[in-house]
Amino acid sequence: MKILLAGGAGYIGSHTAVELLNAGLEVVIVDNYCNSSPVAVKRVEEITGKKVESFEADIKDKAKILDIMKQTKPDCVIHFAGLKAVGESVKLPITYYRNNIDTTITLLECMAETGVKSFVFSSSATVYGEENDIPYVETMRRGSCSNPYGWTKYMMEQILEDAAKADDKLSVVLLRYFNPIGAHESGKIGEDPQGIPNNLMPYIAQVAVGRRDHLTIFGNDYNTKDGTCRRDYIHVMDLANGHLKAVEYAAGNKGVSVFNLGTGQPYSVLEIVNAFEKANGIEIKYEFGPRRDGDLPEFWANADKAEKILNWKTTKTLEDMCRDTWNWQKNNPKGYETE
């Protein structure tokens, strides 16, 4: 089976590529490298000892994507190609709506023209919005999103559901991620955001390696036990395995299926900082700043459905996440720029 990874050179895409290749599947990566590096593709090949077909292209470019799909003939598409920073989406909503929604429509159009019937989508816990109780369950109402990033995921899910209703041969799996952190245990691939990190763990790692002077924690006055936000952090390799399970499931099922991918265990920002310090013996300098637009105080997953139907559950600990993050960062202090 051949899988096309749209945005496959990015953080989650590259780790998923490793998981798919190690499971004996073929991988095609398409990426415009706006927040990723072609070095990641080379590292995936080093880790797996397998060749990866890769193309530099914008997923919004229908002519190019159609040509690539006709050339490579994938059996399934995994859509990772989205802008993903909550705070940035509040400042640049039109950019987020244009990129995230347009890429999804382009992929669906190209799939329709080439006869590809399996689609796995990188969705997000943000679709649950502000009004649902926690932990989040797949049957909860979507919407009331707290930021444009979340609304793009909500809209893309709706587009995919409507497409599946119109085509009874289409299989769509919506994977609602919680907060991926960590890196491949080899230290060859990891999270390498361009510019100032928007996510917590790469910011901590860059402080640890000396690229940043200190960590700014956005808000310490939330209604949580230590005043900082609480999130469900999941090791990126556990998340990658969820994509392998989703691809296998999509191959034998039609219609739309939705799965949460998380641990069900929330940790606060300060707990993550302390865990990183303990796992790696490094002190992280931090200070508190104002709350960040679009952030919710806390949320976490109920992932029972994924365990029951996909036979998937997390295996990595918080210590693993912290240790693997540092192993990546200390071996690549400037990320992929080292090559």
Side-chain angles (χ1 to χ4, degrees):
M1 189 186 299
K2 184 181 287 188
I3 318 299
L4 186 145
L5 308 184
Y11 174 46
I12 300 169
S14 58
H15 289 78
T16 299
V18 169
E19 189 76 3
L20 297 174
L21 288 163
N22 284 340
L25 304 182
E26 295 179 76
V27 165
V28 178
I29 288 176
V30 185
D31 206 299
N32 66 356
Y33 304 119
C34 75
N35 194 29
S36 60
S37 170
V39 176
V41 181
K42 189 167 76 171
R43 299 280 185 88
V44 167
E45 292 179 330
E46 290 175 10
I47 292 167
T48 62
K50 296 179 180 179
K51 181 66 180 169
V52 175
E53 283 187 275
S54 63
F55 300 85
E56 182 172 358
D58 191 320
I59 306 301
K60 298 190 299 294
D61 188 335
K62 183 179 176 182
K64 274 194 178 179
I65 301 306
L66 186 59
D67 182 62
I68 290 167
M69 290 182 69
K70 286 179 177 177
Q71 181 180 334
T72 59
K73 297 180 173 59
D75 300 291
C76 176
V77 169
I78 306 181
H79 183 13
F80 297 107
L83 299 175
K84 62 179 184 177
V86 166
E88 184 182 62
S89 78
V90 176
K91 295 181 177 123
L92 301 171
I94 304 306
T95 300
Y96 270 67
Y97 286 119
R98 166 64 75 184
N99 183 84
N100 291 5
I101 294 171
D102 204 347
T103 53
T104 304
I105 292 171
T106 298
L107 287 170
L108 284 168
E109 288 175 340
C110 292
M111 287 173 61
E113 292 188 37
T114 54
V116 181
K117 295 299 182 183
S118 290
F119 193 111
V120 176
F121 178 56
S122 301
S123 193
S124 166
T126 55
V127 302
Y128 291 111
E130 300 178 275
E131 296 178 0
N132 284 309
D133 294 330
I134 38 183
Y136 293 152
V137 182
E138 291 89 346
T139 51
M140 286 176 170
R141 177 181 173 274
R142 294 174 304 184
S144 302
C145 301
S146 61
N147 55 75
Y149 165 72
W151 280 115
T152 68
K153 293 294 188 182
Y154 168 83
M155 292 173 184
M156 288 185 282
E157 283 197 5
Q158 189 63 53
I159 289 166
L160 288 162
E161 288 181 3
D162 290 341
K165 285 176 188 173
D167 181 355
D168 61 9
K169 293 180 180 169
L170 187 61
S171 176
V172 173
V173 179
L174 308 175
L175 298 179
R176 292 176 181 163
Y177 303 170
F178 281 69
N179 289 70
I181 59 175
H184 189 266
E185 62 183 12
S186 67
K188 289 181 178 289
I189 57 174
E191 189 166 9
D192 182 30
Q194 296 182 6
I196 299 172
N198 288 293
N199 295 329
L200 175 62
M201 190 59 92
Y203 211 125
I204 291 173
Q206 289 187 12
V207 171
V209 84
R211 284 176 66 181
R212 309 280 169 195
D213 175 68
H214 66 277
L215 168 71
T216 298
I217 297 174
F218 299 110
N220 64 339
D221 58 349
Y222 287 99
N223 187 26
T224 59
K225 59 185 177 181
D226 62 20
T228 64
C229 291
R230 300 172 77 213
R231 297 288 183 265
D232 186 336
Y233 294 93
I234 175 175
H235 196 292
V236 68
M237 288 310 298
D238 278 334
L239 187 63
N241 181 253
H243 289 79
L244 171 61
K245 299 286 191 181
V247 166
E248 294 169 345
Y249 182 81
N253 293 272
K254 304 304 177 190
V256 179
S257 303
V258 187
F259 299 99
N260 286 337
L261 296 184
T263 66
Q265 171 62 58
Y267 293 99
S268 74
V269 174
L270 284 176
E271 285 175 326
I272 295 294
V273 171
N274 293 336
F276 187 93
E277 291 179 329
K278 183 178 178 182
N280 299 305
I282 297 169
E283 184 176 348
I284 301 299
K285 182 180 174 184
Y286 66 85
E287 62 183 37
F288 295 108
R291 292 187 182 192
R292 186 169 59 179
D293 289 342
D295 276 343
L296 296 178
E298 58 184 356
F299 58 81
W300 62 90
N302 177 318
D304 292 349
K305 183 180 177 184
E307 181 174 0
K308 181 179 179 181
I309 297 177
L310 298 181
N311 193 29
W312 173 89
K313 63 179 178 179
T314 58
T315 61
K316 304 281 191 178
T317 65
L318 180 58
E319 183 180 355
D320 293 330
M321 301 179 211
C322 293
R323 186 183 59 247
D324 290 342
T325 297
W326 179 232
N327 187 41
W328 149 255
Q329 195 70 77
K330 73 182 180 184
N331 287 307
N332 303 271
K334 294 184 178 179
Y336 293 117
E337 286 184 22
T338 51
E339 293 195 16

